Amino acid sequence: MIKNIKLLNKIAKVGTDKLDRNLFNVGEDVDAPYGIMVRSANMLDMEFNPELRAIARAGAGVNNIPIDRCTEAGIVVFNTPGANANAVKELVICGLMLASRDVVGGIKWAGTLTEDVAKQVEKGKSKFAGVEVRGKTLGVIGLGAIGGMVANTAVHLHMDVIGCDPYLSVEGAWNLNHHINKAAQYDDVYAASDYITLHVPSTPTTKGMINKETIAKMKDGVRILNFSRADLVVAADLKEALESGKVAAYVTDFPTEEVIGVDGVVAIPHLGASTEESEDNCAVMAAMELSDYIANGNIKNSVNFPAISMPRSADCRLCVLHKNVPSMLAKFTALCSEQGINIENMTSKSRGDIAYTLLDVNGKPADASIDALKAIDAVLRVRVI
């Protein structure tokens, strides 16, 4: 049966073309969607139809999607980490230069000149002089997809780079240039760096991490870049540090009322992922994640369910989304045995309080057997493929 995929925003055609039209009906006006593709549309108060099984966010952040409500309903939410990493990395490097030299102020001033322009430029350009990044120390907080790329690029700019990431993956570590110094704690980065760039998500432990106390641990004249989230920085403490000269410049991709117009602040209107290539990459990744889950039950890059993949090995696949509580696998296998269902292959993964189990079985189970599986306590949803 063809499944409806609803587009809540304009999604790059190179992505939606990845959805097989023999399997999917894709559009902005489809009813009762089985899957949704979204960029920035606010879904927090949206009512979900019973058929909805998955949401794919063409981007990394999912603060526009009600994750907890989706989890309880057995709706898998995907994002596209790394798809826009190069776009953001390039803008961060631009921000590094904007923090070093008052290019923005110089451009604004040059735009006011009307007569003897060349003469006025030579006379007034010294007001916008800056420093070079070569030989300076860049501190990178968070060495994931974006932070790691920024750190590697900074090495090639002949900067000394120190990074800290308590959650650095093995794959992420392998991708880092061997010249990057690894710090055990953020305080080491604060103390050593001429520039500090933030690449961590906004969580209860990172909100407000740049504040009066942490700024005091930094070098005088430090330059701070924030291309992650506005609330990582306490605006009042930052403004005080800019006024005193403790912080020489603050470049952010997340303007707020508190920092707009403040001397020393370069506010970019959230352009980090705003490239044609980034939008294409996100759309393709989101479409492939959605397609593989709907067609095969495989999960990659979900923010609320564990990653899991298993080659198809039987006539039918049962996809069981459930809570991570004891004896669930025993209950599944016991029920299959009682119902005469032969399991060819099985895999199960958990993520915190949530788990997901794939069962490849011979023949399609009777509706009564599926209903019995759904009735098991702590089962959120069952799909039959």
Side-chain angles (χ1 to χ4, degrees), residues 174-247:
W174 274 107
N175 290 329
L176 292 177
N177 188 294
H178 69 278
H179 291 293
I180 297 168
N181 297 302
K182 315 302 190 302
Q185 55 189 353
Y186 295 150
D187 284 359
D188 297 334
V189 176
Y190 299 148
S193 303
D194 302 298
Y195 299 78
I196 294 173
T197 182
L198 307 175
H199 299 287
V200 295
S202 176
T203 68
T205 58
T206 61
K207 285 182 180 179
M209 66 184 299
I210 303 302
N211 54 53
K212 184 176 295 187
E213 289 73 24
T214 54
I215 291 172
K217 299 174 183 178
M218 300 176 189
K219 290 183 177 181
D220 292 343
V222 67
R223 291 167 163 85
I224 300 173
L225 286 70
N226 179 8
F227 286 76
S228 291
R229 284 292 181 265
D231 62 7
L232 300 180
V233 176
V234 178
D237 294 350
L238 172 73
K239 292 192 322 189
E240 183 179 319
L242 285 164
E243 290 171 3
S244 71
K246 177 69 176 181
V247 174

Side-chain angles (χ1 to χ4, degrees), residues 16-347:
T16 57
D17 283 350
K18 295 293 183 181
L19 297 171
D20 187 344
R21 292 311 191 269
N22 293 315
L23 302 175
F24 303 109
N25 174 35
V26 183
E28 297 180 2
D29 301 322
V30 301
D31 295 322
Y34 202 87
I36 289 175
M37 294 186 71
V38 61
R39 289 175 59 200
S40 58
N42 187 348
M43 301 180 66
L44 296 178
D45 297 320
M46 180 180 293
E47 291 188 14
F48 298 137
N49 54 288
E51 297 87 353
L52 184 63
R53 297 296 189 271
I55 299 169
R57 159 79 165 99
V62 291
N63 58 331
N64 58 324
I65 301 171
I67 301 301
D68 291 343
R69 186 155 60 93
C70 288
T71 303
E72 286 298 317
I75 298 170
V76 180
V77 180
F78 298 93
N79 69 345
T80 57
N84 59 14
N86 186 70
V88 179
K89 179 263 293 185
E90 290 186 0
L91 193 63
V92 173
I93 299 303
C94 174
L96 191 63
M97 305 307 167
L98 296 178
S100 303
R101 310 173 75 166
D102 190 9
V103 176
V104 174
I107 291 172
K108 289 180 179 178
W109 173 73
T112 67
L113 304 179
T114 56
E115 298 179 356
D116 295 325
V117 173
K119 183 177 181 179
Q120 290 190 65
V121 164
E122 291 306 313
K123 183 178 180 180
K125 66 181 183 181
S126 62
K127 294 184 296 184
F128 309 102
V131 297
E132 298 179 17
V133 301
R134 185 186 181 102
K136 304 298 193 305
T137 298
L138 174 67
V140 184
I141 304 293
L143 292 164
I146 297 170
M149 293 177 73
V150 170
N152 288 340
T153 301
V155 170
H156 294 293
L157 294 173
H158 303 285
M159 299 187 77
D160 295 324
V161 181
I162 180 171
C164 183
D165 189 336
Y167 308 103
L168 181 63
S169 67
V170 173
E171 181 180 0
W174 274 107
N175 290 329
L176 292 177
N177 188 294
H178 69 278
H179 291 293
I180 297 168
N181 297 302
K182 315 302 190 302
Q185 55 189 353
Y186 295 150
D187 284 359
D188 297 334
V189 176
Y190 299 148
S193 303
D194 302 298
Y195 299 78
I196 294 173
T197 182
L198 307 175
H199 299 287
V200 295
S202 176
T203 68
T205 58
T206 61
K207 285 182 180 179
M209 66 184 299
I210 303 302
N211 54 53
K212 184 176 295 187
E213 289 73 24
T214 54
I215 291 172
K217 299 174 183 178
M218 300 176 189
K219 290 183 177 181
D220 292 343
V222 67
R223 291 167 163 85
I224 300 173
L225 286 70
N226 179 8
F227 286 76
S228 291
R229 284 292 181 265
D231 62 7
L232 300 180
V233 176
V234 178
D237 294 350
L238 172 73
K239 292 192 322 189
E240 183 179 319
L242 285 164
E243 290 171 3
S244 71
K246 177 69 176 181
V247 174
Y250 176 62
V251 182
T252 182
D253 202 27
F254 296 89
T256 63
E257 293 82 358
E258 293 90 347
V259 301
I260 289 291
V262 175
D263 287 344
V265 173
V266 177
I268 301 169
H270 200 187
L271 299 180
S274 296
T275 67
E276 294 179 6
E277 295 87 349
S278 173
E279 292 183 6
D280 287 352
N281 291 341
C282 289
V284 169
M285 184 181 289
M288 297 302 288
E289 292 165 350
L290 195 62
S291 176
D292 195 22
Y293 175 66
I294 292 175
N296 300 304
N298 296 324
I299 293 180
K300 182 179 181 181
N301 296 326
S302 170
V303 300
N304 61 338
F305 282 90
I308 189 170
S309 179
M310 184 173 74
R312 299 287 292 270
S313 60
D315 304 322
C316 182
R317 171 163 288 185
L318 306 181
C319 309
V320 188
L321 301 107
H322 57 96
K323 295 182 179 179
N324 184 22
V325 297
S327 303
M328 292 302 289
L329 294 184
K331 292 179 181 179
F332 298 158
T333 55
L335 186 143
C336 288
S337 178
E338 292 170 4
Q339 299 289 328
I341 300 171
N342 182 48
I343 300 174
E344 284 285 340
N345 201 4
M346 178 177 71
T347 187

